[in-house]
Each structure stands twice: as C-alpha cells, then as structure tokens.
Amino acid sequence: MKIDTYESTMSYLLHSPYELATNDVQFAVMDETDELVESYMVLETVASERLRDLSVKQRSCVFHDENYQGSHLYSYNLCVMRCRAARALELCHCRPHFYPFIDGPACTIAGLRCLGKQPSWHDKQPCRCLKPCTEIVYYVMSASRTHWAADGGIPFKQKASFRWEMIQPKTRLRRDVLFTFEDLLVSFGGGIALFVGKDLMAFAEFPIFLITEALQRTIASIK
C-alpha cells in the first residue's frame, strides 16, 4: 500500500486494530520531500475459548470484549489512561482535559501546574495493567528512507511518499489451558493406582460395600 501527500508533511503510527494510539509511542514524521519504504512482520496472539472459563486472575489476561473494572471494552492503553487519570485525581483532584472519557472535573491551569509538579502521575509502572488475551504486534523488518532535496530539480510538486508491505506470518502464539481440573483428577487417580494398587473407583465402591453389608445384617437380624 502507498500513500502520497503533496506539499505537506506526514506523521503515522502503526498499531493493532484492537489497541489505541497513545503518546507513549513515538510517531514517525516525514518531511515534504521524504520517500519511505518499510516492511513489517506481524506477530499475532490468539486465545482459546476455554480461557473464558477461567478467572482473570488465573489467566492473567483480559479479552477485548470482556467487562473488566467497569469497562465493557478493554485494551492495555485504555487501562493505562484510566490508571493515570485516577492518579491525577488522587494527587491534584482533577483529571487532564485530554481524558474526557474519565469521570471527574477537568484540570484548570492551576490543576495542570499541580500535575507538572507531580510527574509520577504519568508513570504507568504502578498501574499493573494486564495484557489482552488476543493481540497483534507489528515489527519493522526493513526500512529505506530517501530525502529529495528541494533544489534537486524535481519536475513535479513536492510530496511525501510512504509505501509499506505486510509480510505474511508463518507462526502465531496461542494462549490455551494446558492442564485442566479433569486432568488433575486423572493424574491423582493414576498416582493412587500406582502407589496403593487401587484406583479411585475402588475407593468409591468401598464405603458403598460397607453400607450394603450393614443393611443386609440389619435386615437379617429383624427377620
């Protein structure tokens, strides 16, 4: 795919369709006479539907369409934004105006000055946001940038040209349940059968046998 902008600069950021763009990732900027060609490798992470049977704490990830912490849609960057806004409300009793989707009073100039004195509100390390269960990450495999000088005798209008290609991935990551509760029961029963010489069915039949024998003795004594 190719994009041309005439007599204009260009800035772009490549991100997952399930994720939001934030200022934590630096946008690529192109001048009016830049020509950029890039190739990207895609790394996709998929998740088994069996993960939905587990709690968020057990699987340590959140599905995008899952209701988590009061939000009907989840993304890692959105979680970080909410965490930062909550931290700003705690320190300066206001939220930055560029977080309009967060409840709370917007910061005035005095509030922004307060946030400027508290740079820790923007730190995302204490947020402990979980990764999404499914995600798409792009990696730059090759890049070539050419800058055409304005006085180089360009016969047409100056333009910024960006051309990129996506390399088809050969592998992908998969989140799945490797050891279920049923597997635990089977392993536990196999261990008992190995060391004791009896399986779980025999242990389950033993109290039934004792109860049946006691009933027979009681009926015999009554007769």
Tab-separated table of all heavy atoms in Angstrom, residues 139-173:
chain	number	residue	atom	x	y	z
A	139	TYR	N	6.327	-5.489	13.781
A	139	TYR	CA	7.759	-5.251	13.908
A	139	TYR	C	8.319	-4.819	12.558
A	139	TYR	O	7.962	-5.380	11.516
A	139	TYR	CB	8.488	-6.519	14.378
A	139	TYR	CG	8.069	-7.002	15.742
A	139	TYR	CD1	7.108	-7.991	15.885
A	139	TYR	CD2	8.645	-6.476	16.892
A	139	TYR	CE1	6.726	-8.447	17.130
A	139	TYR	CE2	8.267	-6.919	18.145
A	139	TYR	CZ	7.305	-7.903	18.263
A	139	TYR	OH	6.924	-8.343	19.504
A	140	VAL	N	9.193	-3.816	12.584
A	140	VAL	CA	9.818	-3.328	11.353
A	140	VAL	C	10.921	-4.300	10.949
A	140	VAL	O	11.875	-4.525	11.696
A	140	VAL	CB	10.386	-1.916	11.552
A	140	VAL	CG1	11.071	-1.439	10.274
A	140	VAL	CG2	9.285	-0.947	11.950
A	141	MET	N	10.806	-4.869	9.760
A	141	MET	CA	11.808	-5.794	9.257
A	141	MET	C	12.861	-5.072	8.418
A	141	MET	O	14.044	-5.386	8.483
A	141	MET	CB	11.140	-6.888	8.416
A	141	MET	CG	10.128	-7.716	9.188
A	141	MET	SD	10.867	-8.577	10.591
A	141	MET	CE	11.995	-9.685	9.747
A	142	SER	N	12.438	-4.100	7.631
A	142	SER	CA	13.380	-3.326	6.820
A	142	SER	C	12.771	-1.950	6.558
A	142	SER	O	11.549	-1.795	6.512
A	142	SER	CB	13.674	-4.029	5.490
A	142	SER	OG	12.498	-4.151	4.710
A	143	ALA	N	13.642	-0.960	6.422
A	143	ALA	CA	13.192	0.407	6.180
A	143	ALA	C	14.211	1.128	5.313
A	143	ALA	O	15.426	0.975	5.505
A	143	ALA	CB	12.990	1.155	7.498
A	144	SER	N	13.707	1.897	4.377
A	144	SER	CA	14.559	2.678	3.482
A	144	SER	C	13.945	4.057	3.314
A	144	SER	O	12.812	4.191	2.845
A	144	SER	CB	14.682	1.973	2.124
A	144	SER	OG	15.404	2.776	1.208
A	145	ARG	N	14.704	5.087	3.695
A	145	ARG	CA	14.224	6.458	3.613
A	145	ARG	C	15.116	7.249	2.644
A	145	ARG	O	16.339	7.206	2.731
A	145	ARG	CB	14.218	7.133	4.984
A	145	ARG	CG	13.730	8.583	4.977
A	145	ARG	CD	13.944	9.238	6.334
A	145	ARG	NE	13.088	8.644	7.348
A	145	ARG	CZ	11.901	9.135	7.707
A	145	ARG	NH1	11.462	10.252	7.117
A	145	ARG	NH2	11.187	8.555	8.646
A	146	THR	N	14.473	7.976	1.746
A	146	THR	CA	15.176	8.842	0.793
A	146	THR	C	14.641	10.253	0.915
A	146	THR	O	13.419	10.459	0.917
A	146	THR	CB	14.977	8.346	-0.652
A	146	THR	OG1	15.426	6.989	-0.751
A	146	THR	CG2	15.772	9.210	-1.626
A	147	HIS	N	15.555	11.197	1.035
A	147	HIS	CA	15.169	12.602	1.141
A	147	HIS	C	15.582	13.321	-0.140
A	147	HIS	O	16.765	13.403	-0.457
A	147	HIS	CB	15.835	13.251	2.356
A	147	HIS	CG	15.502	14.708	2.513
A	147	HIS	ND1	14.272	15.139	2.974
A	147	HIS	CD2	16.234	15.829	2.270
A	147	HIS	CE1	14.261	16.457	3.006
A	147	HIS	NE2	15.442	16.893	2.582
A	148	TRP	N	14.591	13.778	-0.879
A	148	TRP	CA	14.854	14.505	-2.111
A	148	TRP	C	14.959	15.991	-1.806
A	148	TRP	O	14.012	16.603	-1.304
A	148	TRP	CB	13.725	14.273	-3.125
A	148	TRP	CG	13.518	12.824	-3.457
A	148	TRP	CD1	12.585	11.992	-2.933
A	148	TRP	CD2	14.283	12.048	-4.370
A	148	TRP	NE1	12.696	10.734	-3.451
A	148	TRP	CE2	13.739	10.736	-4.355
A	148	TRP	CE3	15.373	12.322	-5.207
A	148	TRP	CZ2	14.255	9.711	-5.141
A	148	TRP	CZ3	15.861	11.285	-5.986
A	148	TRP	CH2	15.320	10.002	-5.953
A	149	ALA	N	16.110	16.569	-2.097
A	149	ALA	CA	16.330	17.985	-1.787
A	149	ALA	C	15.416	18.852	-2.641
A	149	ALA	O	15.083	18.522	-3.782
A	149	ALA	CB	17.790	18.361	-2.020
A	150	ALA	N	15.023	19.985	-2.051
A	150	ALA	CA	14.111	20.882	-2.761
A	150	ALA	C	14.748	21.471	-4.016
A	150	ALA	O	14.059	21.800	-4.985
A	150	ALA	CB	13.665	22.003	-1.828
A	151	ASP	N	16.067	21.615	-4.013
A	151	ASP	CA	16.752	22.194	-5.169
A	151	ASP	C	17.353	21.122	-6.078
A	151	ASP	O	18.276	21.377	-6.841
A	151	ASP	CB	17.860	23.143	-4.703
A	151	ASP	CG	18.846	22.450	-3.774
A	151	ASP	OD1	18.569	21.299	-3.382
A	151	ASP	OD2	19.875	23.065	-3.437
A	152	GLY	N	16.844	19.912	-5.998
A	152	GLY	CA	17.395	18.822	-6.786
A	152	GLY	C	16.771	18.696	-8.162
A	152	GLY	O	16.979	17.679	-8.832
A	153	GLY	N	16.014	19.665	-8.582
A	153	GLY	CA	15.433	19.612	-9.912
A	153	GLY	C	14.254	18.677	-10.021
A	153	GLY	O	14.071	17.997	-11.031
A	154	ILE	N	13.400	18.593	-8.950
A	154	ILE	CA	12.219	17.747	-9.001
A	154	ILE	C	11.223	18.351	-9.990
A	154	ILE	O	10.810	19.502	-9.848
A	154	ILE	CB	11.580	17.618	-7.602
A	154	ILE	CG1	12.595	17.020	-6.622
A	154	ILE	CG2	10.333	16.758	-7.660
A	154	ILE	CD1	12.088	16.920	-5.214
A	155	PRO	N	10.799	17.593	-10.994
A	155	PRO	CA	9.947	18.167	-12.026
A	155	PRO	C	8.501	18.360	-11.595
A	155	PRO	O	7.769	19.102	-12.251
A	155	PRO	CB	10.049	17.152	-13.165
A	155	PRO	CG	10.338	15.858	-12.475
A	155	PRO	CD	11.187	16.207	-11.292
A	156	PHE	N	8.069	17.706	-10.534
A	156	PHE	CA	6.680	17.818	-10.114
A	156	PHE	C	6.612	18.455	-8.727
A	156	PHE	O	7.624	18.874	-8.162
A	156	PHE	CB	6.004	16.444	-10.102
A	156	PHE	CG	6.069	15.739	-11.439
A	156	PHE	CD1	6.958	14.699	-11.640
A	156	PHE	CD2	5.246	16.131	-12.478
A	156	PHE	CE1	7.012	14.044	-12.854
A	156	PHE	CE2	5.302	15.486	-13.703
A	156	PHE	CZ	6.190	14.453	-13.892
A	157	LYS	N	5.419	18.490	-8.176
A	157	LYS	CA	5.237	19.065	-6.852
A	157	LYS	C	5.942	18.212	-5.801
A	157	LYS	O	6.081	17.002	-5.952
A	157	LYS	CB	3.745	19.147	-6.515
A	157	LYS	CG	2.965	20.170	-7.317
A	157	LYS	CD	1.534	20.230	-6.832
A	157	LYS	CE	0.751	21.293	-7.587
A	157	LYS	NZ	-0.657	21.377	-7.116
A	158	GLN	N	6.366	18.880	-4.747
A	158	GLN	CA	6.988	18.155	-3.650
A	158	GLN	C	5.938	17.293	-2.952
A	158	GLN	O	4.814	17.720	-2.710
A	158	GLN	CB	7.602	19.131	-2.651
A	158	GLN	CG	8.735	19.971	-3.223
A	158	GLN	CD	9.308	20.919	-2.200
A	158	GLN	OE1	8.837	20.965	-1.076
A	158	GLN	NE2	10.310	21.674	-2.592
A	159	LYS	N	6.325	16.064	-2.620
A	159	LYS	CA	5.382	15.165	-1.971
A	159	LYS	C	6.126	14.246	-1.013
A	159	LYS	O	7.297	13.912	-1.212
A	159	LYS	CB	4.618	14.333	-3.002
A	159	LYS	CG	5.479	13.313	-3.740
A	159	LYS	CD	4.643	12.442	-4.657
A	159	LYS	CE	5.525	11.393	-5.375
A	159	LYS	NZ	4.712	10.516	-6.244
A	160	ALA	N	5.415	13.850	0.046
A	160	ALA	CA	5.900	12.832	0.975
A	160	ALA	C	5.248	11.515	0.585
A	160	ALA	O	4.022	11.430	0.449
A	160	ALA	CB	5.557	13.200	2.416
A	161	SER	N	6.055	10.501	0.380
A	161	SER	CA	5.556	9.213	-0.107
A	161	SER	C	5.908	8.120	0.893
A	161	SER	O	7.062	7.992	1.305
A	161	SER	CB	6.164	8.881	-1.475
A	161	SER	OG	5.708	7.631	-1.938
A	162	PHE	N	4.907	7.368	1.272
A	162	PHE	CA	5.100	6.288	2.233
A	162	PHE	C	4.510	5.003	1.641
A	162	PHE	O	3.323	4.932	1.315
A	162	PHE	CB	4.402	6.614	3.560
A	162	PHE	CG	4.462	5.498	4.568
A	162	PHE	CD1	5.634	4.782	4.784
A	162	PHE	CD2	3.341	5.162	5.304
A	162	PHE	CE1	5.686	3.758	5.705
A	162	PHE	CE2	3.377	4.135	6.235
A	162	PHE	CZ	4.555	3.442	6.435
A	163	ARG	N	5.348	3.993	1.475
A	163	ARG	CA	4.913	2.706	0.936
A	163	ARG	C	5.318	1.598	1.908
A	163	ARG	O	6.460	1.562	2.355
A	163	ARG	CB	5.540	2.457	-0.439
A	163	ARG	CG	5.003	1.183	-1.108
A	163	ARG	CD	5.477	1.030	-2.549
A	163	ARG	NE	6.861	0.665	-2.650
A	163	ARG	CZ	7.822	1.457	-3.105
A	163	ARG	NH1	7.535	2.699	-3.460
A	163	ARG	NH2	9.065	1.020	-3.181
A	164	TRP	N	4.380	0.739	2.217
A	164	TRP	CA	4.684	-0.334	3.161
A	164	TRP	C	4.050	-1.647	2.707
A	164	TRP	O	3.120	-1.663	1.895
A	164	TRP	CB	4.177	0.030	4.558
A	164	TRP	CG	2.691	-0.034	4.740
A	164	TRP	CD1	1.946	-1.095	5.149
A	164	TRP	CD2	1.766	1.033	4.507
A	164	TRP	NE1	0.624	-0.776	5.200
A	164	TRP	CE2	0.479	0.534	4.816
A	164	TRP	CE3	1.895	2.350	4.083
A	164	TRP	CZ2	-0.664	1.307	4.702
A	164	TRP	CZ3	0.763	3.132	3.972
A	164	TRP	CH2	-0.505	2.609	4.279
A	165	GLU	N	4.590	-2.728	3.250
A	165	GLU	CA	4.074	-4.057	2.968
A	165	GLU	C	4.073	-4.874	4.249
A	165	GLU	O	4.910	-4.672	5.133
A	165	GLU	CB	4.918	-4.758	1.899
A	165	GLU	CG	6.350	-5.028	2.312
A	165	GLU	CD	7.116	-5.824	1.259
A	165	GLU	OE1	6.467	-6.298	0.322
A	165	GLU	OE2	8.338	-5.981	1.399
A	166	MET	N	3.113	-5.790	4.346
A	166	MET	CA	2.993	-6.689	5.482
A	166	MET	C	3.454	-8.084	5.068
A	166	MET	O	2.905	-8.666	4.129
A	166	MET	CB	1.541	-6.754	5.983
A	166	MET	CG	1.011	-5.445	6.501
A	166	MET	SD	1.864	-4.958	8.014
A	166	MET	CE	1.140	-3.322	8.230
A	167	ILE	N	4.467	-8.587	5.752
A	167	ILE	CA	4.970	-9.931	5.473
A	167	ILE	C	4.055	-10.945	6.144
A	167	ILE	O	3.763	-10.846	7.346
A	167	ILE	CB	6.416	-10.083	5.966
A	167	ILE	CG1	7.309	-9.048	5.278
A	167	ILE	CG2	6.925	-11.492	5.717
A	167	ILE	CD1	8.737	-9.072	5.760
A	168	GLN	N	3.577	-11.899	5.369
A	168	GLN	CA	2.657	-12.901	5.893
A	168	GLN	C	3.338	-13.717	6.991
A	168	GLN	O	4.395	-14.310	6.772
A	168	GLN	CB	2.199	-13.827	4.774
A	168	GLN	CG	1.154	-14.840	5.190
A	168	GLN	CD	-0.179	-14.203	5.508
A	168	GLN	OE1	-0.447	-13.103	5.067
A	168	GLN	NE2	-0.998	-14.896	6.278
A	169	PRO	N	2.770	-13.764	8.206
A	169	PRO	CA	3.419	-14.522	9.289
A	169	PRO	C	3.299	-16.022	9.072
A	169	PRO	O	2.310	-16.522	8.534
A	169	PRO	CB	2.632	-14.073	10.529
A	169	PRO	CG	1.295	-13.690	10.008
A	169	PRO	CD	1.535	-13.099	8.642
A	170	LYS	N	4.324	-16.742	9.476
A	170	LYS	CA	4.332	-18.196	9.376
A	170	LYS	C	4.001	-18.865	10.709
A	170	LYS	O	3.710	-20.059	10.748
A	170	LYS	CB	5.700	-18.676	8.889
A	170	LYS	CG	6.071	-18.173	7.495
A	170	LYS	CD	7.425	-18.707	7.060
A	170	LYS	CE	7.789	-18.219	5.667
A	170	LYS	NZ	9.120	-18.714	5.226
A	171	THR	N	4.065	-18.129	11.778
A	171	THR	CA	3.753	-18.659	13.098
A	171	THR	C	2.886	-17.655	13.849
A	171	THR	O	2.813	-16.478	13.483
A	171	THR	CB	5.027	-18.931	13.925
A	171	THR	OG1	5.759	-17.695	14.076
A	171	THR	CG2	5.897	-19.971	13.264
A	172	ARG	N	2.248	-18.122	14.892
A	172	ARG	CA	1.495	-17.255	15.781
A	172	ARG	C	1.470	-17.879	17.165
A	172	ARG	O	1.614	-19.108	17.317
A	172	ARG	CB	0.077	-17.014	15.269
A	172	ARG	CG	-0.812	-18.247	15.234
A	172	ARG	CD	-2.183	-17.888	14.699
A	172	ARG	NE	-3.064	-19.043	14.654
A	172	ARG	CZ	-4.321	-18.985	14.236
A	172	ARG	NH1	-4.821	-17.831	13.815
A	172	ARG	NH2	-5.071	-20.068	14.232
A	173	LEU	N	1.263	-17.065	18.161
A	173	LEU	CA	1.198	-17.533	19.538
A	173	LEU	C	-0.243	-17.868	19.904
A	173	LEU	O	-1.179	-17.256	19.395
A	173	LEU	CB	1.746	-16.461	20.480
A	173	LEU	CG	3.165	-15.967	20.198
A	173	LEU	CD1	3.568	-14.899	21.202
A	173	LEU	CD2	4.162	-17.115	20.230
